[in-house]
């Protein structure tokens, strides 16, 4: 590895580097010319980060003091992002890990320790186990021998963030919300891009800065407002809030955790501690970070702007490819919202040119190679709902181009001879795309058709539609793939 010190960078040891914030932070540190080491339990997860070959990876976990010592040896700074929230004994595990890291960092002569924890409720409140544990870890680091910047945040907004994904799924899947007290409590959400700005900025703080910093966005909102704004920005109908006729029982968070587990990809072990933390207002008590580190470029990100970024609405596609607000391959399952997908690969004796000729000529008079009547029924149903229907024809005597209408679809992308992606314009509670790709066979004889269907649902109706689509995909789209592959072998190339 190139020694980043030669270019003015520092060596940073990141604990929790393959987690939600960690993956994005390591990428930022590498982009800024720093030398990075990470503690790794899963080699498969490390390989999926996209930067595994650019870092020094130390195998082990926080229970292994020798691995932690090896990680921080020679480091200028240590960034601690790990939490054992899914384990019932997470407070004890996190406390022990904090002492291990603090001791190793002091012994190694580390100059700066940066920790990302949670905002603390008012002193008059009884914090949840989750928030108490986060505060305890910060206090362990601040009591150690290494100058520490403990950044404390509430909800981090971005696809892949557990707290944001819980808001997303509850907003999209619960049309009727019980008016439990925590919906009225206030919080100060912060965009993932702003979190990264403060984490990187904290590395350069002077040695005499040894304290906590509250970090948040510019908006202070109730949890109900977070949900309602998400629904508006996502283009969904507002949910209904109904009164709860009886007080919420002491075991309410545990019950709510089970409900969240049933409605979302989140486990109740992860959701319950987060729900317990909603019992109080979580608002910045001070905003010194804006002076000591400085605000993000362009100012702090509003909640609305952060949600738009998480939904992929923030910028042009060329800009958002590496946007930290978007879900990545290392994020938990379900990050970025539910996606229903189905794909198949069908061999054809035709060469790839003949196969592409059929793909490029699909629709209109050529048809769709689906079971008899399937497209007709789908088109009729769409017209009954006020849609465009299944048959609008297609361009004649020329290859397809982006923006062309092909019956009930629109051409979204095309690579001549290789790939065609269509977006459905028929009525559906979500976004449906169909991708067809022609590949030559590796043997040099024949070809393969790759067909992929992808549906991003909107609301509860979208979930029902998506599941029905998956159930029927083998019969409808599987038949389509086989029909195209077979037709390519018997029909001459179009002039």
């Amino acid at each position: 590895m190139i020694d980043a010190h030669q270019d003015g960078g520092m060596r940073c040891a990141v604990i929790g580097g393959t987690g939600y914030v960690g993956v994005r932070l390591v990428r930022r540190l590498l982009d800024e010319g720093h030398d990075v080491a990470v503690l790794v339990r899963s080699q498969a997860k490390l390989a999926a980060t996209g930067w595994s070959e650019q870092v020094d990876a130390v195998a082990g976990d926080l229970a292994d003091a020798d691995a932690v010592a090896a990680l921080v040896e020679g480091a200028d700074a240590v960034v601690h992002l790990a939490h054992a929230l899914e384990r019932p004994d997470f407070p004890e595990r996190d406390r022990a890990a904090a002492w291990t890291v603090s001791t190793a960092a002091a012994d190694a002569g580390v100059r700066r320790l940066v920790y990302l924890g949670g905002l603390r409720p008012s002193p008059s409140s009884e914090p949840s186990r989750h928030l108490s544990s986060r505060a305890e870890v910060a206090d362990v680091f601040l009591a150690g021998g290494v100058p520490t910047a403990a950044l404390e945040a509430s909800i981090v907004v971005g696809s892949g963030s557990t707290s944001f994904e819980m808001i997303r799924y509850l907003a999209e899947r619960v049309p009727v919300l019980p008016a439990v007290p925590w919906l009225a409590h206030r919080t100060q959400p912060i965009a993932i891009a702003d979190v990264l700005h403060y984490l990187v900025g904290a590395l350069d703080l002077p040695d005499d800065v040894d304290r906590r910093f509250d970090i948040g966005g510019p908006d202070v909102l109730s949890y109900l407002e977070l949900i309602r704004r998400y629904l508006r920005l996502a283009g969904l109908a507002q949910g209904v809030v109904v009164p709860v006729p009886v007080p919420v029982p002491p075991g309410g968070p545990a019950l709510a955790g089970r409900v969240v587990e049933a409605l979302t990809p989140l486990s109740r072990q992860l959701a319950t501690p987060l729900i317990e933390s909603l019992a109080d207002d979580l608002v910045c008590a001070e905003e010194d970070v804006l002076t000591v580190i400085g605000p993000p470029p362009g100012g702090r990100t509003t909640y609305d702007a952060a949600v738009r970024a998480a939904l992929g609405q923030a910028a042009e596609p060329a800009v958002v490819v590496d946007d930290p607000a978007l879900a990545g391959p290392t994020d938990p399952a379900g990050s970025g919202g539910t996606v229903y997908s189905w794909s198949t690969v069908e061999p054809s004796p035709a060469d790839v040119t003949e196969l592409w000729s059929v793909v490029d000529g699909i629709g209109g008079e050529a048809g769709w190679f689906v079971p008899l009547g399937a497209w007709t029924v789908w088109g009729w149903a769409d017209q009954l709902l006020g849609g465009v229907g299944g048959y609008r024809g297609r361009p004649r005597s020329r290859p397809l181009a982006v923006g062309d209408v092909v019956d009930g679809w629109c051409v979204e992308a095309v690579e001549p001879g290789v790939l065609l992606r269509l977006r459905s314009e028929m009525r559906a509670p979500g976004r449906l795309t169909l991708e067809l790709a022609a590949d030559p066979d590796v043997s040099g004889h024949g070809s393969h058709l790759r067909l992929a269907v992808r549906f991003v649902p909107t609301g509860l109706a979208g979930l029902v539609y998506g599941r029905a689509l998956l159930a029927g995909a083998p019969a409808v789209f599987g038949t389509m793939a086989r029909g195209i592959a077979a037709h390519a072998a018997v029909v001459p190339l179009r002039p």
Side-chain angles (χ1 to χ4, degrees):
M1 171 179 289
I2 297 173
D3 186 356
H5 291 74
Q6 297 174 358
D7 299 320
M10 64 177 69
R11 182 169 177 83
C12 303
V14 180
I15 298 169
T18 58
Y20 169 68
V21 176
V23 167
R24 292 156 172 81
L25 176 64
V26 170
R27 185 181 299 122
R28 181 74 59 87
L29 293 173
L30 292 170
D31 288 344
E32 296 195 4
H34 297 300
D35 183 5
V36 180
V38 295
L39 189 66
V40 177
R41 288 185 300 173
S42 168
Q43 293 296 325
K45 196 167 184 181
L46 173 65
T49 61
W51 42 250
S52 59
E53 299 298 323
Q54 300 173 259
V55 302
D56 290 329
V58 176
D61 58 31
L62 288 168
D64 185 346
D66 291 338
V68 174
L71 175 76
V72 304
E73 182 65 32
D76 299 301
V78 173
V79 183
H80 187 89
L81 303 169
H83 299 284
L85 198 58
E86 287 189 313
R87 299 176 182 269
D89 60 344
F90 68 85
E92 293 77 15
R93 287 179 173 271
D94 281 348
R95 183 191 314 118
W99 281 114
T100 299
V101 172
S102 180
T103 301
D107 291 345
V110 171
R111 182 187 64 78
R112 165 64 57 192
L113 200 154
V114 179
Y115 170 64
L116 179 61
L119 281 179
R120 307 184 186 207
S122 66
S124 61
S125 302
E126 182 67 27
S128 67
R129 284 207 315 153
H130 169 224
L131 293 178
S132 294
S133 175
R134 296 289 179 98
E136 184 179 26
V137 170
D139 292 342
V140 167
F141 289 142
L142 289 165
V146 179
T148 296
L151 307 179
E152 300 187 341
S154 178
I155 291 174
V156 177
V157 182
S159 287
S161 165
T162 301
S163 51
F164 176 72
E165 292 298 343
M166 190 161 68
I167 290 173
R168 181 206 300 272
Y169 281 106
L170 289 177
E172 293 185 353
R173 299 188 178 186
V174 183
V176 179
L177 289 168
V180 290
W182 63 261
L183 280 178
H185 293 155
R186 300 179 307 146
T187 189
Q188 195 163 347
I190 181 170
I192 178 60
D194 291 4
V195 172
L196 298 177
H197 166 78
Y198 294 128
L199 286 169
V200 174
L203 298 173
D204 291 323
L205 291 174
D207 293 348
D208 60 353
V209 177
D210 189 29
R211 55 164 291 185
R212 297 188 295 111
F213 292 94
D214 290 353
I215 61 173
D219 303 309
V220 175
L221 304 167
S222 71
Y223 291 103
L224 178 58
E225 185 64 18
L226 296 183
I227 292 173
R228 283 180 165 166
R229 287 199 183 194
Y230 174 87
L231 288 168
R232 174 173 58 80
L233 294 167
L236 301 174
Q238 293 291 317
V240 178
V241 180
V242 297
V244 179
V246 294
V248 178
L255 176 61
R258 290 182 177 275
V259 172
V260 169
E261 183 178 57
L263 294 174
T264 78
L266 304 177
S267 69
R268 66 177 182 274
Q269 290 82 4
L270 187 60
T272 301
L274 294 177
I275 294 170
E276 290 172 349
S277 301
L278 307 180
D280 295 287
D281 290 347
L282 293 177
V283 178
C284 295
E286 47 80 20
E287 295 185 330
D288 296 347
V289 72
L290 296 175
T291 301
V292 178
I293 295 179
R300 293 183 294 176
T301 307
T302 66
Y303 176 70
D304 286 8
V307 171
R308 289 192 186 98
L311 293 173
Q313 301 172 358
E316 295 298 323
V319 177
V320 303
V321 169
D322 294 322
D323 192 326
L326 301 179
T330 60
D331 292 334
S335 295
T338 301
V339 177
Y340 294 99
S341 59
W342 185 87
S343 62
T344 186
V345 177
E346 191 67 32
S348 174
D351 66 32
V352 70
T353 304
E354 294 168 332
L355 179 61
W356 175 254
S357 178
V358 178
V359 170
D360 187 54
I362 201 166
E365 295 178 359
W368 291 86
F369 307 97
V370 295
L372 184 63
W375 230 241
T376 301
V377 172
W378 197 356
W380 286 347
D382 185 63
Q383 287 180 320
L384 287 174
L385 294 172
V388 298
Y391 293 97
R392 292 187 293 173
R394 51 153 293 142
R396 295 173 176 267
S397 304
R398 68 168 174 84
L400 291 175
V402 172
D404 282 344
V405 168
V406 183
D407 292 330
W409 303 77
C410 177
V411 178
E412 186 174 78
V414 60
E415 297 178 39
V418 179
L419 178 143
L420 173 67
R421 184 166 67 245
L422 304 169
R423 181 186 70 251
S424 175
E425 293 192 329
M426 291 186 280
R427 295 272 181 169
R431 187 175 188 276
L432 174 64
T433 58
L434 169 64
E435 189 169 286
L436 302 164
D439 299 323
D441 191 272
V442 293
S443 68
H445 302 286
S447 57
H448 288 87
L449 175 75
R450 288 185 288 115
L451 182 151
V453 182
R454 189 173 187 269
F455 179 69
V456 180
T458 300
L460 285 174
L463 299 178
V464 175
Y465 186 96
R467 290 177 180 176
L469 183 73
L470 282 189
V476 176
F477 294 103
T479 301
M480 178 188 293
R482 291 188 293 273
I484 292 173
H487 196 66
V490 298
V491 175
L493 287 175
R494 289 185 296 136

